[in-house]
Amino acid sequence: MAQGDRSSALDQLRHAASLGIDEAVSLPPRCYRDPAIYELEQREIFGRDWIHIGRACDISEPGDYLAADLPGAAVMAVRQKDGSIKVLSRVCRHRGALVASEGSGHSGVFSCPYHRWTYELDGRLRAAPTMEGNPAFKRENCALPEFRMEIWQGFIFVTLSADAAPLGAALAPLSVMIDKYDIGDWRSAFSVEDVWDTNWKVAFENACESYHHIGFHQHSLDPIWPGLTTQPGKGDEAFNFHVVPSIPDFRYREVEGVTLDDGAMSHFFICGIYPSLTLVLAGPSTIWFSFEPLSVDRVRVRAGQLNPAAYFDAPNLEEMVAGDRAMLVGILEEDKVGCLGVQQGLSMADAASGPLSPLERPIAEFVRYLARRLAA
């Protein structure tokens, strides 16, 4: 993309963000398909903002870790011996090999597979064979770098920026809204992962609005949570949200010890946390969706279900988890197919920004977030 073309796309983004909510339009199609815009996002969004990398309950024991890749950084969240969590680099300080593989695991120490430099759980260098023969070697200068992290409602976030404002403060208004659910200590029932051939913003936007229930999910979600009943709320700079009421007389199954009002026990409360995490609070269950860009038209989609401790005491737990998992996998497959079609359409020469429905207020607010990060 030529510099002039990118400037034109960013001008269109600024214009879209400047419109009132009642006359909002979607992002310029070029924002979903151009490698130069993608590279700008990697630098200005994923290289600077708070990025979700996992759930604290999934690394419960000292030595448990979750690995993740950010622009220019391979990181891992590691449970420490004192119960705290640190986010460390996975790059050996010797010659750059990775000391932990992708995904999750457990280790008492982190040992580089190349020359067996070995690190403590907190990143301090424990052993470096033969390095005492080099007078320039200083063990204390060879610890794995540590990155800023915060835990919000049990979710682990990391930022590569020293200047990012505290995450907890940015999400404080959202914390108040969902306080009654008390999801911070909820446990993971299951998680799934897939790669979609679509831009990450297509996937994230899709997860942030329920208007599309009438299309992608007309036989699955819409009969119980009708998309046309969506109630968008006024979001904040760090998040958007909306509520989807259920049909009359629907109610989630009860879980002992969980006390929620009738609305919370029947509707969806959906919030999109910028740039790439969406939560669906559904009574005694919360579904999360995380979107990791892999290229301009590929995204890794992770999703999982959280539940309070009493959920796991149910005598038919295995059956419940299998049913919940099957439902989520089915919904994700509907979204995957639909988002692929959206990406294909946005890649056409005649694609254009279109007017947004009032039910798509979260998308209009996301456009403004992108403009603040990319086109300020």
Side-chain angles (χ1 to χ4, degrees), residues 249-306:
D249 301 324
F250 172 83
R251 190 174 177 85
Y252 299 114
R253 61 176 172 249
E254 301 285 345
V255 173
E256 185 178 351
V258 176
T259 303
L260 293 169
D261 59 46
D262 289 343
M265 282 299 293
S266 61
H267 66 215
F268 283 163
F269 180 95
I270 301 177
C271 50
I273 299 170
Y274 305 136
S276 57
L277 176 67
T278 302
L279 307 182
V280 180
L281 289 91
S285 297
T286 289
I287 308 298
W288 58 267
F289 303 89
S290 185
F291 305 97
E292 177 193 349
L294 300 177
S295 69
V296 69
D297 56 4
R298 295 180 77 236
V299 58
R300 177 175 288 118
V301 179
R302 296 187 176 95
Q305 179 172 300
L306 308 173

Side-chain angles (χ1 to χ4, degrees), residues 41-316:
E41 293 168 346
Q42 287 288 286
R43 183 175 70 250
E44 299 298 327
I45 295 178
F46 291 91
R48 297 190 179 188
D49 237 328
W50 289 98
I51 308 301
H52 165 255
I53 62 170
R55 184 80 181 162
C57 63
D58 293 333
I59 50 171
S60 58
E61 298 298 324
D64 289 351
Y65 70 90
L66 291 169
D69 291 322
L70 300 176
V75 304
M76 57 184 176
V78 184
R79 181 70 70 171
Q80 301 297 300
K81 293 178 180 178
D82 65 1
S84 65
I85 293 175
K86 291 181 181 291
V87 175
L88 305 172
S89 172
R90 290 189 284 136
V91 180
C92 181
R93 311 325 289 168
H94 179 213
R95 287 173 59 189
L98 297 181
V99 302
S101 59
E102 293 183 356
S104 61
H106 175 89
S107 184
V109 295
F110 294 102
S111 183
C112 177
Y114 200 3
H115 299 97
R116 293 301 171 187
W117 281 36
T118 303
Y119 300 86
E120 304 284 3
L121 297 182
D122 62 3
R124 288 176 298 133
L125 182 64
R126 171 193 278 192
T130 76
M131 291 308 298
E132 65 276 3
N134 183 341
F137 170 71
K138 303 293 182 186
R139 186 182 304 272
E140 62 273 18
N141 294 338
C142 296
L144 298 174
E146 182 176 354
F147 298 94
R148 291 179 63 195
M149 61 84 66
E150 287 194 33
I151 297 176
W152 177 82
Q153 299 290 338
F155 294 96
I156 305 170
F157 290 80
V158 62
T159 180
L160 304 182
S161 172
D163 301 321
L167 177 68
L171 295 180
L174 181 57
S175 295
V176 173
M177 294 180 198
I178 68 173
D179 181 65
K180 61 186 176 184
Y181 293 91
D182 197 23
I183 67 172
D185 294 326
W186 286 15
R187 292 159 48 190
S188 296
F190 62 86
S191 62
V192 296
E193 180 178 321
D194 197 3
V195 174
W196 296 3
D197 293 325
T198 190
N199 183 268
W200 70 274
K201 297 185 296 300
V202 170
F204 179 70
E205 288 178 333
N206 180 73
C208 289
E209 56 92 354
S210 299
Y211 182 29
H212 75 280
H213 283 194
I214 65 175
F216 293 175
H217 309 305
Q218 59 182 302
H219 302 300
S220 53
L221 295 177
D222 201 59
I224 300 176
W225 299 277
L228 296 183
T229 67
T230 296
Q231 300 170 0
K234 183 179 180 181
D236 211 321
E237 289 198 357
F239 65 90
N240 60 59
F241 74 96
H242 69 281
V243 172
V244 188
S246 71
I247 57 175
D249 301 324
F250 172 83
R251 190 174 177 85
Y252 299 114
R253 61 176 172 249
E254 301 285 345
V255 173
E256 185 178 351
V258 176
T259 303
L260 293 169
D261 59 46
D262 289 343
M265 282 299 293
S266 61
H267 66 215
F268 283 163
F269 180 95
I270 301 177
C271 50
I273 299 170
Y274 305 136
S276 57
L277 176 67
T278 302
L279 307 182
V280 180
L281 289 91
S285 297
T286 289
I287 308 298
W288 58 267
F289 303 89
S290 185
F291 305 97
E292 177 193 349
L294 300 177
S295 69
V296 69
D297 56 4
R298 295 180 77 236
V299 58
R300 177 175 288 118
V301 179
R302 296 187 176 95
Q305 179 172 300
L306 308 173
N307 296 97
Y311 171 93
F312 299 91
D313 295 330
N316 61 334

